[in-house]
DNA sequence: CAAAATACTTAGAAACCAACGT
DNA sequence: ACGTTGGTTTCTAAGTATTTTG
């Protein structure tokens, strides 16, 4: 099998002159934190004082490294941009990293068919193991998954194997499954030293394949590892779930990666990917691209928020216009207006058409069908309510009851007239038409800009509400604002399996702390009485002070836990990460931190700070979205 | 024009890992 | 020292939007 385009840039001259800073870059990051630990491990018997010193030293080292890192950071946002379309002038990388070839199972691990041992050939065995590894997963109980798997598995079999193995239900993968589980256990149980060896080996791969040089700067690659073969895991009721996702090969499978021949080596600097291949299940293209912290991604991200801000300045006019358009004589215009009303008001996705039978049945705004909404003249004391119920991206259910204007309501009634449940609600509209209209209103405006804009403006408005005093409560208020956005964008998650348990654990901790607090309070009272009785004995006075502090500490801890409980409960089914990473202009958050005097690392972890380095650097407390 | 191909962003699940309490 | 827990990272599917093709 061939695989598509890898691009390599061979400007060796420039490479030799590569920026010396890139050399230092390799030493930062992952390696950094390891050193002090290693030393500790080597001298396990140290006095407390010494270890304290060591901790201090480690801290100082950390700060120093941080500063160094900051100095080395490529401040691309201060540079001039390239002419249109050009993404880079110099690019060099090692090509993607290929997963290891499959090795035969040990002889004592057997696959059984119809109760008898069957020694499978390499190809069939590899695919059998994919299935065996997933035996604990719900996927393997689903008919569609099983059928697709079996069909594709048989394609990998030799003629003999295919003749023999005709019924999946007669296949026994148990030994393979057990072996796999044991392997996982063994990995977990490895000693510290063994784990370190593994870690270092991985780091070596990252060092070698995980970076590229782009215009003299060393940039992290996002997915430099080629996806290993496996069984396709589509979301929801995906018709292709269980199909075999084949191994990607560059050209001659027997060649070691260093000797790979590429289908094509392209030199195209109007594009941001480093390598690409065609995936066999859906026939789509996959790309190796840079990390979110890279210039290429960051610049695009920045631009995205700038377009959203431009929308902010003209959104009133656009809203007025679509309200007008709802009255248009043109059906297409009316449908477009109502769709836009939904996209703006409810932050729905655009809703491209999808090929039927190729993917799970999900919809967005333009692809809504009659069956996805129910109209209520009156519902729960509200007039003109639209009840939405459909599966959106990733088969996440969107359920919402929304009061709309009379005009919108009337139009929806009209759009639904004489239609079957399976018919398109907006039969005259698609995303292409909608986006064409939008870009005529504002260059760069598309349907998804409304999501970005509404998400960011919501965060900004929510953060305006009166600010609490303690840091912990400030953070709760930030999380609540973040949550409001996640709700708007319908970012959901399945509650973790351990949710109820961990909630109960936290609650019992809170109860325990409450008792402790009560105790501390009564002790304080007692101590105060003592002081009164013995007219200000300085020793007793000190005891009172101590008790006071204990009460205070207890109160603080209790509050902290209570806030944590509230936060966790409110987060049960809501995922905050997606909006934080993709929809909220980071400058809003950076400015908030500055205004509130909250350290930035309380709201952004390391990779988030890296991704938003441009915003962290350029944003003052006065930023307004 | 519509369909297909391409390129890039957005998404939740799962794997991983470090800190924490016992 | 050790298992649990929750945050972080990785993985890759599933979208959006534009460009190319027929």
């Amino acid at each position: 099998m061939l695989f598509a385009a890898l691009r390599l840039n061979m400007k060796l001259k420039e490479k030799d002159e590569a920026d010396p800073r890139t050399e230092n870059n390799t030493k930062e990051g992952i390696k950094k934190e390891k050193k002090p630990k290693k030393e500790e491990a080597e001298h396990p018997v140290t006095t407390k004082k010494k270890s304290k010193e060591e901790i201090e030293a480690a801290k100082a080292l950390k700060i120093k490294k941080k500063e160094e890192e900051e100095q080395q950071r490529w401040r691309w946002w201060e540079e001039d941009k390239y002419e249109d379309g050009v993404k880079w002038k110099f690019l060099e990388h090692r090509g993607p990293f290929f997963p290891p070839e499959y090795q035969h199972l040990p002889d004592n691990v057997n696959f059984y068919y119809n109760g008898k041992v069957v020694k499978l050939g390499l190809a069939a065995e590899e695919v059998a193991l994919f299935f065996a590894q997933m035996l604990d997963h719900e996927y393997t109980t689903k008919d569609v998954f099983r059928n697709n798997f079996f069909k594709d598995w048989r394609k990998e079999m030799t003629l003999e194997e295919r003749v023999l193995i005709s019924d999946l239900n007669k296949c026994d993968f148990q030994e393979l499954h057990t072996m796999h589980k044991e392997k996982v256990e063994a990995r977990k149980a490895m000693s510290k030293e063994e784990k370190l060896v593994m870690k270092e080996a991985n780091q070596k791969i990252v060092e070698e394949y995980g970076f590229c040089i782009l215009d003299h700067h060393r940039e992290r690659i996002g997915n430099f590892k080629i996806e290993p073969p496996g069984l396709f895991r589509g979301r929801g009721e995906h018709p292709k779930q269980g199909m075999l996702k084949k191994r990607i090969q560059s050209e001659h499978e027997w060649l070691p990666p260093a000797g790979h021949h590429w289908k094509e080596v392209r030199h195209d600097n109007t594009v941001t990917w480093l390598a690409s291949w065609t995936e066999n299940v859906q026939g789509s293209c996959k790309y190796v691209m840079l990390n979110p912290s890279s210039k290429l991604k960051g610049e695009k991200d920045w631009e995205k928020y700038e377009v959203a801000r431009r929308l902010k300045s003209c959104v009133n006019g656009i809203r007025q216009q679509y309200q007008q358009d709802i009255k248009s004589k043109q059906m297409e215009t009316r449908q477009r207006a109502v769709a836009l009303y939904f996209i703006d008001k409810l932050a729905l996705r655009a809703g491209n058409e999808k090929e039927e039978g190729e993917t799970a049945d999900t919809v967005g705004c333009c692809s809504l069908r009659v069956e996805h909404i129910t109209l209520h003249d009156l519902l729960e004391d509200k007039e003109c309510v639209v009840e939405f119920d459909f599966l959106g991206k990733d088969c996440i259910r969107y359920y919402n009851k929304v009061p709309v204007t009379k005009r919108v309501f009337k139009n929806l009634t009209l759009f639904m007239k004489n239609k079957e449940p399976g018919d398109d609600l907006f039969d005259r509209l698609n995303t292409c038409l909608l986006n064409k209209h939008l870009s005529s209103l504002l260059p760069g405006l598309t349907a998804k800009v409304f999501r970005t804009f509404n998400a960011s403006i919501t965060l900004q408005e929510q953060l305006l509400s009166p600010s609490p005093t303690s840091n912990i409560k400030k953070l709760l208020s930030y999380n609540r604002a973040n949550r409001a956005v996640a709700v708007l964008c319908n970012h959901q998650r399945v509650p973790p399996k351990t949710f109820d348990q961990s909630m109960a654990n936290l609650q019992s901790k809170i109860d325990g702390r409450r008792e402790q607090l009560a105790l501390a309070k009564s002790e304080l009272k007692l101590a105060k009485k003592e002081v009164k009785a013995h007219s200000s004995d300085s020793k007793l006075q000190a005891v009172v002070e101590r008790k006071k502090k204990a009460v205070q500490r207890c109160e603080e801890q209790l509050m902290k836990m209570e806030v944590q409980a509230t936060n966790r409960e409110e987060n049960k089914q809501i995922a905050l990460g997606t909006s934080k990473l993709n929809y909220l202009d980071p400058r809003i958050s950076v400015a908030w931190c500055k205004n509130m005097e909250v350290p930035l690392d309380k709201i952004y972890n390391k990779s988030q700070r890296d991704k938003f380095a441009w915003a962290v650097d350029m944003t003052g407390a006065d930023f307004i979205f």
Side-chain angles (χ1 to χ4, degrees):
Chain A
M1 198 190 102
L2 297 182
F3 103 99
L6 167 105
R7 298 192 298 115
L8 283 170
N9 185 310
M10 297 294 189
K11 282 191 189 167
L12 290 173
K13 221 179 185 180
E14 281 188 67
K15 176 194 150 200
D16 290 337
E17 293 161 8
D19 194 326
R21 280 176 292 177
T22 56
E23 177 62 27
N24 295 335
N25 266 343
T26 62
K27 284 167 194 154
E28 53 112 44
I30 325 151
K31 271 187 179 169
K32 175 181 68 185
E33 265 121 328
K34 218 177 53 207
K35 261 207 166 159
K37 257 190 202 161
K38 212 175 171 184
E39 275 159 24
E40 261 172 64
E42 279 165 15
H43 316 284
V45 207
T46 46
T47 64
K48 259 188 186 170
K49 216 175 180 183
K50 199 174 179 190
S51 70
K52 238 183 200 172
E53 275 166 21
E54 269 177 40
I55 289 168
E56 283 300 310
K59 256 188 194 167
L61 197 77
K62 232 180 183 176
I63 291 169
K64 211 178 140 196
K65 283 268 159 129
K66 209 174 162 187
E67 278 168 7
E68 265 174 37
E69 205 178 293
E70 214 34 64
Q71 284 199 336
Q72 280 167 17
R73 195 189 292 287
W74 180 12
R75 303 160 74 85
W76 49 259
W77 48 92
E78 291 173 353
E79 294 177 9
D80 292 335
K81 287 182 183 162
Y82 285 140
E83 60 267 43
D84 224 22
V86 174
K87 305 286 168 50
W88 47 265
K89 299 266 162 114
F90 175 86
L91 174 65
E92 185 184 66
H93 63 93
R94 285 274 287 154
F97 180 80
F98 287 85
E101 290 299 320
Y102 178 70
Q103 306 285 329
H104 250 312
L105 289 174
D107 210 40
N108 61 335
V109 179
N110 286 311
F111 164 74
Y112 296 86
Y113 187 74
N114 220 354
K116 290 196 193 94
V117 174
V118 177
K119 286 288 174 192
L120 295 168
L122 203 65
E125 188 188 272
E126 182 180 14
V127 180
L129 189 56
F130 294 152
F131 191 82
Q133 284 171 349
M134 290 178 73
L135 239 39
D136 285 336
H137 203 288
E138 201 203 335
Y139 272 126
T140 56
T141 64
K142 291 190 176 179
D143 280 344
V144 180
F145 188 94
R146 293 173 68 87
N147 292 149
N148 283 334
F149 157 71
F150 196 56
K151 206 169 145 199
D152 277 4
W153 184 31
R154 279 168 58 85
K155 287 182 201 156
E156 300 301 308
M157 293 178 184
T158 62
L159 191 59
E160 284 166 74
E161 287 165 345
R162 196 159 36 238
V163 170
L164 176 69
I165 301 167
S166 58
D167 182 359
L168 181 55
N169 293 317
K170 291 181 180 163
C171 294
D172 178 359
F173 301 96
Q174 200 52 49
E175 284 190 14
L176 315 207
H177 179 65
T178 308
M179 180 203 70
H180 171 250
K181 270 172 84 178
E182 280 169 1
K183 262 191 180 165
V184 171
E185 284 308 310
R187 194 145 33 102
K188 266 191 218 159
M190 279 191 313
S191 71
K192 261 191 182 150
E193 292 72 29
E194 289 171 310
K195 277 185 181 161
L196 194 69
V197 170
M198 293 276 282
K199 206 173 163 186
E200 273 169 358
N202 278 329
Q203 271 172 33
K204 222 180 131 188
I205 295 170
V206 174
E207 279 301 318
E208 195 171 345
Y209 292 91
F211 294 86
C212 70
I213 307 283
L214 190 132
D215 294 337
H216 296 284
H217 297 271
R218 194 159 183 264
E219 296 260 60
R220 186 95 204 260
I221 302 172
N223 55 332
F224 62 91
K225 287 182 178 164
I226 293 281
E227 293 172 21
L231 303 183
F232 178 74
R233 299 156 85 128
R235 313 266 166 113
E237 298 303 313
H238 197 116
K240 297 193 170 187
Q241 63 185 96
M243 282 173 72
L244 174 63
K245 194 172 77 168
K246 291 187 177 172
R247 183 178 290 274
I248 304 307
Q249 319 232 313
S250 80
E251 197 171 39
H252 301 295
E253 53 190 9
W254 50 268
L255 278 177
H260 272 311
H261 291 175
W262 308 105
K263 178 174 174 185
E264 181 196 350
V265 177
R266 236 207 284 181
H267 184 106
D268 177 358
N269 72 355
T270 66
V271 111
T272 68
W273 49 269
L274 308 183
S276 76
W277 71 90
T278 304
E279 167 265 359
N280 68 297
V281 175
Q282 320 234 52
S284 61
C285 234
K286 297 238 178 173
Y287 302 89
V288 173
M289 287 186 188
L290 298 188
N291 196 66
S293 63
S294 63
K295 175 198 178 187
L296 251 30
K297 293 288 184 191
E299 213 166 47
K300 209 68 192 301
D301 211 33
W302 182 17
E303 201 185 307
K304 172 179 81 184
Y305 291 114
E306 287 308 306
V307 176
R309 291 174 82 194
R310 263 176 261 145
L311 172 58
K312 183 195 172 193
S313 60
C314 65
V315 73
N316 285 334
I318 290 175
R319 284 175 175 158
Q320 266 173 22
Q321 175 160 11
Y322 69 63
Q323 296 288 0
Q324 286 297 312
D325 284 349
I326 292 176
K327 293 186 282 190
S328 166
K329 280 179 189 144
Q330 291 275 318
M331 194 47 133
E332 184 194 316
T333 307
R334 279 200 202 189
Q335 292 196 352
R336 194 183 66 202
V338 173
L340 194 48
Y341 172 88
F342 285 159
I343 284 170
D344 184 23
K345 187 181 170 80
L346 306 173
L348 298 190
R349 295 187 183 83
N352 282 330
E353 289 119 299
K354 304 167 79 182
E355 228 174 314
E356 222 184 305
E358 296 290 300
T359 61
D361 179 21
T362 63
V363 296
C365 185
C366 293
S367 51
L368 279 170
R369 298 191 298 260
V370 171
E371 60 195 320
H372 295 130
I373 63 169
T374 312
L375 302 180
H376 303 275
D377 294 317
L378 193 72
L379 183 70
E380 293 156 5
D381 293 337
K382 285 171 194 141
E383 286 181 7
C384 300
V385 174
V386 184
E387 185 182 359
F388 291 84
D389 192 354
F390 62 89
L391 295 183
K393 182 177 180 179
D394 290 310
C395 290
I396 299 293
R397 184 179 180 208
Y398 183 92
Y399 183 78
N400 203 358
K401 288 177 275 193
V402 193
V404 300
T405 62
K406 280 225 166 72
R407 225 181 269 157
V408 166
F409 197 80
K410 263 190 173 169
N411 271 284
L412 288 170
T413 315
L414 182 69
F415 301 160
M416 290 165 79
K417 217 165 151 186
N418 300 324
K419 281 188 192 168
E420 299 290 312
D423 291 343
D424 285 341
L425 177 64
F426 302 114
D427 52 300
R428 305 284 177 89
L429 186 70
N430 60 42
T431 54
C432 235
L433 249 31
L434 177 63
N435 281 335
K436 236 173 226 155
H437 169 68
L438 290 175
S439 71
S440 77
L441 300 178
L442 174 73
L445 186 63
T446 62
K448 86 184 182 85
V449 178
F450 281 86
R451 247 167 104 81
T452 312
F453 158 68
N454 277 311
S456 288
I457 202 76
T458 300
L459 180 77
Q460 186 169 78
E461 280 164 4
Q462 294 271 321
L463 287 177
L464 241 42
S465 57
S467 57
T469 43
S470 77
N471 251 10
I472 291 170
K473 291 206 169 152
K474 283 181 197 168
L475 284 170
L476 180 67
S477 79
Y478 181 86
N479 276 335
R480 283 197 164 139
N482 192 167
R483 196 146 44 231
V485 176
V487 169
L488 175 73
C489 293
N490 201 38
H491 293 142
Q492 296 187 18
R493 62 166 188 172
V494 279
K497 278 187 204 107
T498 55
F499 185 86
D500 287 337
Q501 185 56 50
S502 84
M503 217 51 210
N505 288 350
L506 186 58
Q507 194 53 53
S508 67
K509 259 197 211 164
I510 290 175
D511 293 343
R513 190 67 75 181
R514 274 222 183 94
E515 273 170 36
Q516 213 182 335
L517 178 63
L519 196 70
K521 271 186 179 166
S522 65
E523 275 181 26
L524 173 63
K525 234 184 209 171
L526 220 65
K528 274 184 180 166
K529 247 184 206 168
E530 290 276 297
V531 171
K532 259 188 191 167
H534 301 82
S535 56
S536 62
D537 181 328
S538 68
K539 249 188 197 169
L540 288 177
Q541 196 68 47
V543 171
V544 168
E545 283 309 309
R546 227 177 29 236
K547 298 279 178 200
K548 253 188 197 165
K549 281 228 172 93
V551 168
Q552 218 175 35
R553 218 175 27 238
C554 233
E555 272 172 344
E556 249 169 53
Q557 282 167 337
L558 182 63
M559 192 266 284
K560 197 173 170 178
M561 282 197 282
E562 279 171 339
V563 168
Q564 195 186 0
T566 312
N567 200 32
R568 203 188 287 174
E569 186 64 49
E570 290 176 2
N571 258 350
K572 184 173 181 179
Q573 302 196 64
I574 299 166
L576 300 188
T578 303
S579 49
K580 208 175 192 178
L581 228 48
N582 301 298
Y583 288 101
L584 301 175
D585 188 328
R587 291 169 294 186
I588 299 169
S589 299
V590 173
W592 180 83
C593 278
K594 288 195 170 160
N595 281 318
M596 291 291 142
E597 294 175 325
V598 171
L600 192 67
D601 59 8
K602 294 277 181 233
I603 61 162
Y604 285 149
N605 66 33
K606 177 82 170 80
S607 43
Q608 290 164 341
R609 291 196 302 277
D610 283 344
K611 168 168 177 166
F612 297 132
W614 57 272
V616 175
D617 185 64
M618 68 169 72
T619 308
D622 58 343
F623 176 82
I624 293 171
F625 175 78

